[in-house]
Amino acid sequence: MDFDYKRTQNFTISDLLEIMKLLRGEGGCPWDRAQDHHTIRKNFIEETYEAVEAIDREDAELLREELGDVLLQVVFHAEIEREAGTFSFEDVCDSICRKLIFRHPFLFEDADREDDRTPDEHWDERKQKEKGFSSGAEYLDSVSKTLPALMRAQKLVSRSQKKGLSQRNAGSLQAIRGCLDRLDSAAAAGDEERKTRLGELLFEISRYAERNGLEAEVALSHKNDRFIREFAAFEQQMTAECGAVEQCSMEGTAVPERAVTTQEF
């Protein structure tokens, strides 16, 4: 093994690439050698979400660690393709550099500096040109289907608005109430109908979020965290009053009205 893993100076991206080759190479790690894109797909997703959590927690040390884990996934997938003879990590770097240059014409080209369009508008225009979309439907269909559904819905709404395809009352509280009414009317219907009406409601909520400059996915995530804190407080209260939450249930103890009101249970 030529790789000097006992060095004291900082390792670099070149070292990471070399380590990955060793892990995947003859006599390397049996687990790493057995993996393909599909078997480590979920690892990529998990590591990305863990990096996002570090951002939300504003924990720089944790973020440094999690970004390393994400980078490992990038290197891993690139190494699998290098072995197959399709592309290398260097090709990945070349591709993203070319994309950034192409999508920022106001910085890297002799573009009109007086152009009043925003960088986001430049990016979007160049992306559509780069991808060669021939219709608005193709533009919408390019939104990744693996995104969380609420996040994908809002991105679809955003892109449809850029194409001037937004309905006048879309995303209004009135439209949301209409969806609620239809969901309520479908209460006695079959599962398929109720699922359809529920989907309409969630999509309309994503429209409301986009219309008001909010992120529906982030809002729900914050509520999830708040729900855990509220439940912990409720559980603590019940334990203090009954000895244990389970004991309250066994004895038929009613949950205090104030707890239901305050803690939303």
Side-chain angles (χ1 to χ4, degrees), residues 28 40 68-69 81 87 101 113 121 127 159 164 179 199 201:
I40 60 173
D69 290 340
E81 289 302 314
F87 65 80
I101 292 169
R113 293 286 175 157
E121 289 171 329
K127 181 175 183 177
R159 288 197 175 186
C179 288
L201 173 61

Side-chain angles (χ1 to χ4, degrees), residues 240-255:
E241 294 183 4
C242 307
V245 175
E246 294 81 0
Q247 192 67 27
C248 289
S249 176
M250 284 166 42
E251 295 178 359
T253 305
V255 177

Side-chain angles (χ1 to χ4, degrees), residues 70-103:
V70 172
L71 180 58
L72 171 61
Q73 294 302 310
V74 175
V75 168
F76 206 146
H77 285 279
E79 175 60 18
I80 292 172
E81 289 302 314
R82 187 195 68 80
E83 294 166 1
T86 51
F87 65 80
S88 66
F89 180 78
E90 289 73 19
D91 294 324
V92 173
C93 293
D94 178 74
S95 177
I96 187 59
C97 286
R98 292 180 184 280
K99 178 183 290 186
L100 289 171
I101 292 169
F102 179 77
R103 295 190 185 179

Side-chain angles (χ1 to χ4, degrees), residues 222-237 259 261-265:
H222 287 176
K223 174 56 185 176
N224 289 341
D225 292 338
R226 191 163 67 251
F227 178 81
I228 294 172
R229 293 194 299 270
E230 291 167 349
F231 186 87
F234 166 77
E235 191 174 42
Q236 186 176 24
Q237 177 185 339
T261 302
T262 304
Q263 305 299 341
E264 299 180 316
F265 289 109

Side-chain angles (χ1 to χ4, degrees), residues 12 15 19 22 41 46 52 60 65 114 167 173 176 188 195 202 204 221-222 225 234 238 254 264-265:
T12 67
D15 297 314
I19 290 172
L22 290 171
R41 176 182 180 277
E46 290 171 0
V52 171
E65 177 184 346
E114 301 302 318
Q167 298 172 328
L173 291 176
I176 291 175
K195 183 171 64 175
L202 293 172
E204 202 62 45
S221 179
H222 287 176
D225 292 338
F234 166 77
M238 291 296 96
E264 299 180 316
F265 289 109

